[in-house]
Amino acid sequence: MTSERLTSPRTRRTAALLLAATVGLTAAACGSSAKTAANGGGASAGSGGGKVTISIDCEPPTSQPVPRKQWIDDIAAFQKQNPDVTVKSIDTFPCETPALFTAALAGHTEPNVFYTYFTDKQQVLDSGQAADITQYVNATSVPSLNDILPGVMDGQKSDGKLYGIPRSNYSMGMIINRNLFTQAGLNPDKPPTTWADVATDAAAIQKLGNGVSGYGDYSAGNNGGWHFVAEMDALGAPVVSSDGKTAAFNNAQGLAVLQNLHDLRFKDKAMGTTQLFKWGDLQKQMASGKLGMYVAAPDDITYMVQQLNAKYSDYGMGPIPGTDGPAKGTLAGGDDYMFNVKDTPDQIKAGVALVNFLKLTMGQGQFNYARAKSTNQAVGLPEPEFYQGASLQADNTLKAANATMPVTNFSPFIQAAVPGDLEPGNAQDIYKVLDTAMASTLTNPNANLQQLLKTAETQVNQVLANK
């Protein structure tokens, strides 16, 4: 789920939180003195020789004056460096609303450069509205290209052709409340790495009383299904077959996910009595000091700080737990920019240069940590998470130098380096089905977990057959 965090799981959340909670990083764009590439390189925009106009969405709203001004300043800086390019910004908040996005595709009204979630790719391709940008994206036009994680770039491709440029990527881990860990006699620098450890630590935290829950999880609003998939990934198991045609979770791993949660709720009594949580509920519990831990992506912490008056120092993060140690995989996702199929070659060139300028250059744009710090934005979270090699080293160095939070609190998460797995196709429909299994698991002490999986399998197979 991405986290401009509008609607349910992360794929739909990324449109509201990345902007609302970490907008200083993701929408700050670059300073007026920045160059279009890390070393002054990068192809010039509109290199066909004539003037070109492009439109781009996801401009911060006027209700967020600091990022809005930064966006305006940065677009002006880009145009100054590329005087033949005129950029028309479209104020969209959140960056994507599913119904409006679908309507734009159907009406062929999307901008020249338009924001999407990773999981939107097939919908856009099916609509015929995405331009093939393969020939325009290379180590000259995007100097950091070879340092972008292969899995992230592969997610932008179909049949060997490139259709998008990533803007952000995330993976999930276990967010902990360091204060509650300390009060329960646990070491906050050593978050649990197995589900058995989660049970032990959660039970200890639950004993603090006063309405505190040791562990929390979702079971409503498609978020329960989203977390079921995340916890399947942790066990190294996909939820659909490799061809995407059938469900693949009615197995030992799927049963283990539900059994872990059922035991935490009814055997260990470490989850409190209230359930059926959707996105936003666990964050409120955590920010008010009433929840010990839950599975999430790093920028949930920024949401709690900026929207719920929490403090960065109160939280830490470890890997999503596995069976015998850190998980085998962790659900990952993010967002990107795609290009209108009606774009001219010069518009695509200009759009690639603009996205590189705003989003993919160390020291500027979303990586302009000095400016983010100066405007009281979050610096130090292990996100966006899509670089390796020299770009990753540069990112870590700049981030540490401008951190606005104790970055060591996230060391267990970073050091575990759990590989990310992208969300399945038709994710929202699958999540909706799996919500029911999660809800029954967490509310019915006598739930037949095997039957829940069987029923969900039948329903997901129907969904996939209809697709």
Side-chain angles (χ1 to χ4, degrees), residues 353-400:
L354 178 61
V355 174
N356 178 68
F357 187 87
L358 297 178
K359 306 300 178 184
L360 294 175
T361 301
M362 282 301 111
Q364 65 184 52
Q366 66 178 328
F367 298 106
N368 187 350
Y369 299 128
R371 186 168 79 170
K373 181 179 181 179
S374 72
T375 53
N376 298 316
Q377 303 299 317
V379 180
L381 292 174
E383 191 179 86
E385 186 184 352
F386 55 51
Y387 275 133
Q388 61 185 353
S391 294
L392 177 60
Q393 294 177 7
D395 183 39
N396 287 338
T397 298
L398 289 170
K399 189 179 291 181

mmCIF file of all heavy atoms in Angstrom, residues 353-400:
data_model
loop_
_atom_site.group_PDB
_atom_site.id
_atom_site.type_symbol
_atom_site.label_atom_id
_atom_site.label_comp_id
_atom_site.label_asym_id
_atom_site.label_seq_id
_atom_site.Cartn_x
_atom_site.Cartn_y
_atom_site.Cartn_z
ATOM 1 N N ALA A 353 13.391 13.884 -17.954
ATOM 2 C CA ALA A 353 14.318 14.825 -17.326
ATOM 3 C C ALA A 353 13.709 15.451 -16.074
ATOM 4 O O ALA A 353 14.391 15.640 -15.054
ATOM 5 C CB ALA A 353 14.716 15.915 -18.322
ATOM 6 N N LEU A 354 12.414 15.753 -16.120
ATOM 7 C CA LEU A 354 11.751 16.371 -14.973
ATOM 8 C C LEU A 354 11.666 15.405 -13.801
ATOM 9 O O LEU A 354 11.968 15.770 -12.653
ATOM 10 C CB LEU A 354 10.352 16.833 -15.372
ATOM 11 C CG LEU A 354 9.505 17.457 -14.253
ATOM 12 C CD1 LEU A 354 10.184 18.718 -13.701
ATOM 13 C CD2 LEU A 354 8.103 17.784 -14.766
ATOM 14 N N VAL A 355 11.268 14.157 -14.051
ATOM 15 C CA VAL A 355 11.183 13.183 -12.959
ATOM 16 C C VAL A 355 12.564 12.939 -12.360
ATOM 17 O O VAL A 355 12.720 12.856 -11.137
ATOM 18 C CB VAL A 355 10.556 11.866 -13.459
ATOM 19 C CG1 VAL A 355 10.604 10.807 -12.360
ATOM 20 C CG2 VAL A 355 9.114 12.094 -13.891
ATOM 21 N N ASN A 356 13.592 12.849 -13.210
ATOM 22 C CA ASN A 356 14.952 12.690 -12.698
ATOM 23 C C ASN A 356 15.340 13.886 -11.833
ATOM 24 O O ASN A 356 15.929 13.733 -10.757
ATOM 25 C CB ASN A 356 15.936 12.542 -13.853
ATOM 26 C CG ASN A 356 17.376 12.431 -13.367
ATOM 27 O OD1 ASN A 356 17.758 11.453 -12.744
ATOM 28 N ND2 ASN A 356 18.164 13.466 -13.637
ATOM 29 N N PHE A 357 14.994 15.075 -12.280
ATOM 30 C CA PHE A 357 15.318 16.311 -11.562
ATOM 31 C C PHE A 357 14.636 16.360 -10.196
ATOM 32 O O PHE A 357 15.246 16.724 -9.185
ATOM 33 C CB PHE A 357 14.860 17.482 -12.418
ATOM 34 C CG PHE A 357 15.253 18.847 -11.913
ATOM 35 C CD1 PHE A 357 16.472 19.406 -12.252
ATOM 36 C CD2 PHE A 357 14.384 19.594 -11.139
ATOM 37 C CE1 PHE A 357 16.821 20.680 -11.820
ATOM 38 C CE2 PHE A 357 14.723 20.858 -10.692
ATOM 39 C CZ PHE A 357 15.954 21.404 -11.038
ATOM 40 N N LEU A 358 13.365 15.968 -10.158
ATOM 41 C CA LEU A 358 12.596 16.083 -8.924
ATOM 42 C C LEU A 358 12.781 14.915 -7.968
ATOM 43 O O LEU A 358 12.695 15.077 -6.761
ATOM 44 C CB LEU A 358 11.106 16.186 -9.250
ATOM 45 C CG LEU A 358 10.620 17.388 -10.044
ATOM 46 C CD1 LEU A 358 9.125 17.273 -10.294
ATOM 47 C CD2 LEU A 358 10.941 18.692 -9.346
ATOM 48 N N LYS A 359 13.026 13.712 -8.489
ATOM 49 C CA LYS A 359 12.879 12.516 -7.661
ATOM 50 C C LYS A 359 14.072 11.583 -7.589
ATOM 51 O O LYS A 359 14.081 10.690 -6.731
ATOM 52 C CB LYS A 359 11.680 11.693 -8.182
ATOM 53 C CG LYS A 359 10.386 12.464 -8.276
ATOM 54 C CD LYS A 359 9.939 13.009 -6.923
ATOM 55 C CE LYS A 359 8.652 13.816 -7.049
ATOM 56 N NZ LYS A 359 8.275 14.434 -5.749
ATOM 57 N N LEU A 360 15.079 11.718 -8.447
ATOM 58 C CA LEU A 360 16.081 10.661 -8.535
ATOM 59 C C LEU A 360 17.520 11.147 -8.466
ATOM 60 O O LEU A 360 18.421 10.444 -8.927
ATOM 61 C CB LEU A 360 15.882 9.866 -9.838
ATOM 62 C CG LEU A 360 14.584 9.063 -9.933
ATOM 63 C CD1 LEU A 360 14.457 8.430 -11.312
ATOM 64 C CD2 LEU A 360 14.521 8.004 -8.855
ATOM 65 N N THR A 361 17.760 12.303 -7.885
ATOM 66 C CA THR A 361 19.116 12.831 -7.839
ATOM 67 C C THR A 361 19.542 13.089 -6.393
ATOM 68 O O THR A 361 18.849 13.788 -5.650
ATOM 69 C CB THR A 361 19.230 14.127 -8.655
ATOM 70 O OG1 THR A 361 18.854 13.844 -10.009
ATOM 71 C CG2 THR A 361 20.654 14.656 -8.644
ATOM 72 N N MET A 362 20.665 12.504 -6.005
ATOM 73 C CA MET A 362 21.173 12.673 -4.642
ATOM 74 C C MET A 362 21.360 14.155 -4.313
ATOM 75 O O MET A 362 21.903 14.916 -5.115
ATOM 76 C CB MET A 362 22.522 11.961 -4.489
ATOM 77 C CG MET A 362 22.432 10.462 -4.329
ATOM 78 S SD MET A 362 21.451 9.979 -2.893
ATOM 79 C CE MET A 362 20.045 9.262 -3.708
ATOM 80 N N GLY A 363 20.911 14.537 -3.124
ATOM 81 C CA GLY A 363 21.113 15.900 -2.651
ATOM 82 C C GLY A 363 20.055 16.881 -3.108
ATOM 83 O O GLY A 363 20.090 18.043 -2.730
ATOM 84 N N GLN A 364 19.109 16.432 -3.900
ATOM 85 C CA GLN A 364 18.052 17.333 -4.332
ATOM 86 C C GLN A 364 16.732 16.561 -4.383
ATOM 87 O O GLN A 364 16.696 15.349 -4.215
ATOM 88 C CB GLN A 364 18.371 17.960 -5.692
ATOM 89 C CG GLN A 364 18.437 16.979 -6.842
ATOM 90 C CD GLN A 364 18.845 17.655 -8.146
ATOM 91 O OE1 GLN A 364 19.851 18.353 -8.192
ATOM 92 N NE2 GLN A 364 18.073 17.448 -9.196
ATOM 93 N N GLY A 365 15.655 17.300 -4.590
ATOM 94 C CA GLY A 365 14.358 16.656 -4.628
ATOM 95 C C GLY A 365 14.046 15.933 -3.332
ATOM 96 O O GLY A 365 14.286 16.436 -2.241
ATOM 97 N N GLN A 366 13.527 14.725 -3.437
ATOM 98 C CA GLN A 366 13.199 13.975 -2.237
ATOM 99 C C GLN A 366 14.446 13.568 -1.465
ATOM 100 O O GLN A 366 14.352 13.137 -0.312
ATOM 101 C CB GLN A 366 12.366 12.756 -2.572
ATOM 102 C CG GLN A 366 13.049 11.688 -3.392
ATOM 103 C CD GLN A 366 12.121 10.503 -3.617
ATOM 104 O OE1 GLN A 366 11.281 10.179 -2.775
ATOM 105 N NE2 GLN A 366 12.259 9.860 -4.759
ATOM 106 N N PHE A 367 15.612 13.723 -2.062
ATOM 107 C CA PHE A 367 16.873 13.439 -1.371
ATOM 108 C C PHE A 367 17.572 14.717 -0.902
ATOM 109 O O PHE A 367 18.726 14.677 -0.481
ATOM 110 C CB PHE A 367 17.802 12.645 -2.294
ATOM 111 C CG PHE A 367 17.229 11.313 -2.694
ATOM 112 C CD1 PHE A 367 16.736 11.104 -3.961
ATOM 113 C CD2 PHE A 367 17.162 10.270 -1.780
ATOM 114 C CE1 PHE A 367 16.188 9.875 -4.322
ATOM 115 C CE2 PHE A 367 16.624 9.048 -2.126
ATOM 116 C CZ PHE A 367 16.135 8.850 -3.407
ATOM 117 N N ASN A 368 16.878 15.839 -0.948
ATOM 118 C CA ASN A 368 17.441 17.098 -0.468
ATOM 119 C C ASN A 368 17.191 17.197 1.038
ATOM 120 O O ASN A 368 16.351 17.946 1.516
ATOM 121 C CB ASN A 368 16.796 18.276 -1.201
ATOM 122 C CG ASN A 368 17.460 19.603 -0.865
ATOM 123 O OD1 ASN A 368 18.279 19.695 0.044
ATOM 124 N ND2 ASN A 368 17.111 20.631 -1.613
ATOM 125 N N TYR A 369 17.956 16.415 1.778
ATOM 126 C CA TYR A 369 17.723 16.307 3.214
ATOM 127 C C TYR A 369 18.061 17.592 3.961
ATOM 128 O O TYR A 369 17.451 17.891 4.983
ATOM 129 C CB TYR A 369 18.532 15.146 3.779
ATOM 130 C CG TYR A 369 18.151 13.805 3.186
ATOM 131 C CD1 TYR A 369 19.115 12.956 2.656
ATOM 132 C CD2 TYR A 369 16.819 13.392 3.144
ATOM 133 C CE1 TYR A 369 18.766 11.734 2.105
ATOM 134 C CE2 TYR A 369 16.466 12.177 2.599
ATOM 135 C CZ TYR A 369 17.442 11.343 2.081
ATOM 136 O OH TYR A 369 17.104 10.143 1.527
ATOM 137 N N ALA A 370 19.017 18.351 3.469
ATOM 138 C CA ALA A 370 19.361 19.604 4.145
ATOM 139 C C ALA A 370 18.169 20.548 4.128
ATOM 140 O O ALA A 370 17.836 21.181 5.138
ATOM 141 C CB ALA A 370 20.571 20.250 3.475
ATOM 142 N N ARG A 371 17.519 20.646 2.984
ATOM 143 C CA ARG A 371 16.355 21.523 2.913
ATOM 144 C C ARG A 371 15.185 20.952 3.715
ATOM 145 O O ARG A 371 14.451 21.692 4.361
ATOM 146 C CB ARG A 371 15.939 21.758 1.457
ATOM 147 C CG ARG A 371 14.827 22.786 1.359
ATOM 148 C CD ARG A 371 14.589 23.261 -0.049
ATOM 149 N NE ARG A 371 13.802 22.294 -0.817
ATOM 150 C CZ ARG A 371 13.298 22.560 -2.032
ATOM 151 N NH1 ARG A 371 13.542 23.731 -2.594
ATOM 152 N NH2 ARG A 371 12.605 21.645 -2.672
ATOM 153 N N ALA A 372 15.022 19.641 3.660
ATOM 154 C CA ALA A 372 13.949 19.031 4.447
ATOM 155 C C ALA A 372 14.138 19.329 5.932
ATOM 156 O O ALA A 372 13.189 19.666 6.639
ATOM 157 C CB ALA A 372 13.913 17.531 4.197
ATOM 158 N N LYS A 373 15.368 19.216 6.397
ATOM 159 C CA LYS A 373 15.649 19.499 7.807
ATOM 160 C C LYS A 373 15.355 20.955 8.138
ATOM 161 O O LYS A 373 14.779 21.266 9.189
ATOM 162 C CB LYS A 373 17.099 19.159 8.123
ATOM 163 C CG LYS A 373 17.482 19.400 9.569
ATOM 164 C CD LYS A 373 18.934 19.020 9.834
ATOM 165 C CE LYS A 373 19.315 19.228 11.293
ATOM 166 N NZ LYS A 373 20.729 18.834 11.544
ATOM 167 N N SER A 374 15.741 21.855 7.235
ATOM 168 C CA SER A 374 15.556 23.285 7.498
ATOM 169 C C SER A 374 14.089 23.684 7.541
ATOM 170 O O SER A 374 13.743 24.734 8.087
ATOM 171 C CB SER A 374 16.284 24.113 6.431
ATOM 172 O OG SER A 374 15.607 24.051 5.178
ATOM 173 N N THR A 375 13.224 22.854 6.974
ATOM 174 C CA THR A 375 11.784 23.143 6.986
ATOM 175 C C THR A 375 11.022 22.188 7.893
ATOM 176 O O THR A 375 9.815 21.988 7.751
ATOM 177 C CB THR A 375 11.219 23.082 5.556
ATOM 178 O OG1 THR A 375 11.564 21.829 4.951
ATOM 179 C CG2 THR A 375 11.757 24.211 4.704
ATOM 180 N N ASN A 376 11.750 21.578 8.831
ATOM 181 C CA ASN A 376 11.158 20.725 9.866
ATOM 182 C C ASN A 376 10.422 19.507 9.299
ATOM 183 O O ASN A 376 9.396 19.085 9.829
ATOM 184 C CB ASN A 376 10.197 21.545 10.739
ATOM 185 C CG ASN A 376 10.896 22.657 11.475
ATOM 186 O OD1 ASN A 376 11.973 22.458 12.039
ATOM 187 N ND2 ASN A 376 10.306 23.844 11.447
ATOM 188 N N GLN A 377 10.975 18.946 8.228
ATOM 189 C CA GLN A 377 10.421 17.732 7.674
ATOM 190 C C GLN A 377 11.191 16.524 8.205
ATOM 191 O O GLN A 377 12.270 16.662 8.784
ATOM 192 C CB GLN A 377 10.484 17.766 6.144
ATOM 193 C CG GLN A 377 9.771 18.953 5.518
ATOM 194 C CD GLN A 377 8.290 18.983 5.834
ATOM 195 O OE1 GLN A 377 7.618 17.968 5.799
ATOM 196 N NE2 GLN A 377 7.781 20.169 6.148
ATOM 197 N N ALA A 378 10.642 15.339 7.982
ATOM 198 C CA ALA A 378 11.259 14.120 8.497
ATOM 199 C C ALA A 378 12.487 13.731 7.689
ATOM 200 O O ALA A 378 12.430 13.642 6.470
ATOM 201 C CB ALA A 378 10.253 12.977 8.455
ATOM 202 N N VAL A 379 13.587 13.494 8.382
ATOM 203 C CA VAL A 379 14.802 12.982 7.753
ATOM 204 C C VAL A 379 15.361 11.876 8.643
ATOM 205 O O VAL A 379 15.595 12.090 9.830
ATOM 206 C CB VAL A 379 15.873 14.076 7.575
ATOM 207 C CG1 VAL A 379 17.113 13.489 6.905
ATOM 208 C CG2 VAL A 379 15.342 15.249 6.768
ATOM 209 N N GLY A 380 15.560 10.705 8.083
ATOM 210 C CA GLY A 380 16.166 9.623 8.846
ATOM 211 C C GLY A 380 15.464 8.290 8.709
ATOM 212 O O GLY A 380 16.012 7.254 9.077
ATOM 213 N N LEU A 381 14.231 8.296 8.201
ATOM 214 C CA LEU A 381 13.527 7.039 8.015
ATOM 215 C C LEU A 381 14.182 6.214 6.907
ATOM 216 O O LEU A 381 14.700 6.779 5.939
ATOM 217 C CB LEU A 381 12.059 7.289 7.646
ATOM 218 C CG LEU A 381 11.163 7.885 8.725
ATOM 219 C CD1 LEU A 381 9.808 8.207 8.137
ATOM 220 C CD2 LEU A 381 11.030 6.946 9.907
ATOM 221 N N PRO A 382 14.146 4.892 7.012
ATOM 222 C CA PRO A 382 14.730 4.038 5.968
ATOM 223 C C PRO A 382 13.802 3.921 4.760
ATOM 224 O O PRO A 382 13.378 2.854 4.350
ATOM 225 C CB PRO A 382 14.911 2.698 6.681
ATOM 226 C CG PRO A 382 13.849 2.684 7.724
ATOM 227 C CD PRO A 382 13.694 4.111 8.175
ATOM 228 N N GLU A 383 13.477 5.062 4.181
ATOM 229 C CA GLU A 383 12.557 5.127 3.057
ATOM 230 C C GLU A 383 12.715 6.487 2.397
ATOM 231 O O GLU A 383 12.945 7.477 3.113
ATOM 232 C CB GLU A 383 11.123 4.951 3.580
ATOM 233 C CG GLU A 383 10.077 4.736 2.504
ATOM 234 C CD GLU A 383 8.690 4.539 3.099
ATOM 235 O OE1 GLU A 383 8.031 5.557 3.349
ATOM 236 O OE2 GLU A 383 8.293 3.391 3.315
ATOM 237 N N PRO A 384 12.655 6.639 1.060
ATOM 238 C CA PRO A 384 12.381 5.601 0.079
ATOM 239 C C PRO A 384 13.518 4.589 -0.003
ATOM 240 O O PRO A 384 14.671 4.924 0.254
ATOM 241 C CB PRO A 384 12.234 6.374 -1.236
ATOM 242 C CG PRO A 384 13.024 7.604 -1.030
ATOM 243 C CD PRO A 384 12.886 7.952 0.419
ATOM 244 N N GLU A 385 13.153 3.389 -0.366
ATOM 245 C CA GLU A 385 14.086 2.265 -0.305
ATOM 246 C C GLU A 385 14.217 1.631 -1.691
ATOM 247 O O GLU A 385 13.683 0.576 -1.964
ATOM 248 C CB GLU A 385 13.547 1.237 0.704
ATOM 249 C CG GLU A 385 14.462 0.079 0.988
ATOM 250 C CD GLU A 385 13.813 -0.929 1.917
ATOM 251 O OE1 GLU A 385 12.727 -0.644 2.446
ATOM 252 O OE2 GLU A 385 14.386 -2.013 2.095
ATOM 253 N N PHE A 386 14.918 2.341 -2.591
ATOM 254 C CA PHE A 386 15.077 1.723 -3.906
ATOM 255 C C PHE A 386 16.470 1.839 -4.497
ATOM 256 O O PHE A 386 16.668 1.543 -5.679
ATOM 257 C CB PHE A 386 14.042 2.216 -4.916
ATOM 258 C CG PHE A 386 13.947 3.701 -5.138
ATOM 259 C CD1 PHE A 386 15.055 4.473 -5.429
ATOM 260 C CD2 PHE A 386 12.717 4.311 -5.097
ATOM 261 C CE1 PHE A 386 14.939 5.825 -5.668
ATOM 262 C CE2 PHE A 386 12.595 5.670 -5.336
ATOM 263 C CZ PHE A 386 13.685 6.435 -5.620
ATOM 264 N N TYR A 387 17.455 2.225 -3.691
ATOM 265 C CA TYR A 387 18.818 2.339 -4.213
ATOM 266 C C TYR A 387 19.741 1.268 -3.642
ATOM 267 O O TYR A 387 19.525 0.723 -2.559
ATOM 268 C CB TYR A 387 19.396 3.720 -3.895
ATOM 269 C CG TYR A 387 19.029 4.783 -4.896
ATOM 270 C CD1 TYR A 387 18.562 6.020 -4.472
ATOM 271 C CD2 TYR A 387 19.142 4.548 -6.258
ATOM 272 C CE1 TYR A 387 18.225 7.001 -5.391
ATOM 273 C CE2 TYR A 387 18.811 5.526 -7.189
ATOM 274 C CZ TYR A 387 18.354 6.756 -6.756
ATOM 275 O OH TYR A 387 18.021 7.725 -7.666
ATOM 276 N N GLN A 388 20.793 0.993 -4.386
ATOM 277 C CA GLN A 388 21.899 0.155 -3.950
ATOM 278 C C GLN A 388 23.193 0.834 -4.397
ATOM 279 O O GLN A 388 23.169 1.892 -5.012
ATOM 280 C CB GLN A 388 21.791 -1.244 -4.589
ATOM 281 C CG GLN A 388 21.837 -1.224 -6.110
ATOM 282 C CD GLN A 388 21.617 -2.584 -6.733
ATOM 283 O OE1 GLN A 388 21.554 -3.583 -6.053
ATOM 284 N NE2 GLN A 388 21.516 -2.625 -8.067
ATOM 285 N N GLY A 389 24.319 0.227 -4.059
ATOM 286 C CA GLY A 389 25.605 0.720 -4.547
ATOM 287 C C GLY A 389 25.944 2.118 -4.088
ATOM 288 O O GLY A 389 25.622 2.541 -2.973
ATOM 289 N N ALA A 390 26.575 2.892 -4.975
ATOM 290 C CA ALA A 390 27.064 4.228 -4.633
ATOM 291 C C ALA A 390 25.922 5.167 -4.264
ATOM 292 O O ALA A 390 26.066 6.016 -3.374
ATOM 293 C CB ALA A 390 27.863 4.805 -5.797
ATOM 294 N N SER A 391 24.782 5.024 -4.923
ATOM 295 C CA SER A 391 23.647 5.900 -4.611
ATOM 296 C C SER A 391 23.115 5.634 -3.213
ATOM 297 O O SER A 391 22.740 6.563 -2.490
ATOM 298 C CB SER A 391 22.530 5.713 -5.645
ATOM 299 O OG SER A 391 22.943 6.165 -6.919
ATOM 300 N N LEU A 392 23.087 4.364 -2.812
ATOM 301 C CA LEU A 392 22.646 4.040 -1.460
ATOM 302 C C LEU A 392 23.615 4.600 -0.428
ATOM 303 O O LEU A 392 23.195 5.164 0.594
ATOM 304 C CB LEU A 392 22.524 2.528 -1.294
ATOM 305 C CG LEU A 392 22.136 2.038 0.107
ATOM 306 C CD1 LEU A 392 20.786 2.602 0.523
ATOM 307 C CD2 LEU A 392 22.127 0.512 0.165
ATOM 308 N N GLN A 393 24.909 4.454 -0.680
ATOM 309 C CA GLN A 393 25.900 4.997 0.251
ATOM 310 C C GLN A 393 25.755 6.515 0.373
ATOM 311 O O GLN A 393 25.817 7.075 1.472
ATOM 312 C CB GLN A 393 27.302 4.627 -0.221
ATOM 313 C CG GLN A 393 27.581 3.131 -0.162
ATOM 314 C CD GLN A 393 28.964 2.782 -0.703
ATOM 315 O OE1 GLN A 393 29.766 3.650 -1.009
ATOM 316 N NE2 GLN A 393 29.228 1.492 -0.827
ATOM 317 N N ALA A 394 25.576 7.179 -0.760
ATOM 318 C CA ALA A 394 25.408 8.632 -0.731
ATOM 319 C C ALA A 394 24.144 9.013 0.017
ATOM 320 O O ALA A 394 24.137 9.972 0.801
ATOM 321 C CB ALA A 394 25.371 9.172 -2.161
ATOM 322 N N ASP A 395 23.087 8.263 -0.203
ATOM 323 C CA ASP A 395 21.821 8.538 0.482
ATOM 324 C C ASP A 395 21.982 8.388 1.988
ATOM 325 O O ASP A 395 21.539 9.242 2.764
ATOM 326 C CB ASP A 395 20.747 7.593 -0.051
ATOM 327 C CG ASP A 395 19.377 7.861 0.558
ATOM 328 O OD1 ASP A 395 19.043 9.039 0.744
ATOM 329 O OD2 ASP A 395 18.658 6.895 0.846
ATOM 330 N N ASN A 396 22.607 7.303 2.416
ATOM 331 C CA ASN A 396 22.793 7.070 3.845
ATOM 332 C C ASN A 396 23.647 8.158 4.481
ATOM 333 O O ASN A 396 23.381 8.603 5.606
ATOM 334 C CB ASN A 396 23.427 5.699 4.079
ATOM 335 C CG ASN A 396 22.463 4.556 3.826
ATOM 336 O OD1 ASN A 396 21.247 4.738 3.866
ATOM 337 N ND2 ASN A 396 22.991 3.381 3.554
ATOM 338 N N THR A 397 24.676 8.587 3.779
ATOM 339 C CA THR A 397 25.561 9.628 4.311
ATOM 340 C C THR A 397 24.815 10.949 4.479
ATOM 341 O O THR A 397 24.891 11.608 5.528
ATOM 342 C CB THR A 397 26.766 9.824 3.387
ATOM 343 O OG1 THR A 397 27.524 8.610 3.325
ATOM 344 C CG2 THR A 397 27.677 10.942 3.898
ATOM 345 N N LEU A 398 24.089 11.341 3.450
ATOM 346 C CA LEU A 398 23.348 12.595 3.507
ATOM 347 C C LEU A 398 22.231 12.535 4.547
ATOM 348 O O LEU A 398 21.970 13.502 5.260
ATOM 349 C CB LEU A 398 22.757 12.914 2.133
ATOM 350 C CG LEU A 398 23.750 13.340 1.051
ATOM 351 C CD1 LEU A 398 23.067 13.373 -0.308
ATOM 352 C CD2 LEU A 398 24.345 14.701 1.378
ATOM 353 N N LYS A 399 21.604 11.396 4.632
ATOM 354 C CA LYS A 399 20.507 11.232 5.588
ATOM 355 C C LYS A 399 21.023 11.345 7.023
ATOM 356 O O LYS A 399 20.421 12.022 7.869
ATOM 357 C CB LYS A 399 19.830 9.885 5.367
ATOM 358 C CG LYS A 399 18.550 9.677 6.143
ATOM 359 C CD LYS A 399 17.942 8.315 5.831
ATOM 360 C CE LYS A 399 17.418 8.254 4.429
ATOM 361 N NZ LYS A 399 16.805 6.944 4.094
ATOM 362 N N ALA A 400 22.134 10.672 7.297
ATOM 363 C CA ALA A 400 22.698 10.711 8.649
ATOM 364 C C ALA A 400 23.147 12.117 9.025
ATOM 365 O O ALA A 400 23.004 12.541 10.176
ATOM 366 C CB ALA A 400 23.866 9.735 8.748
#
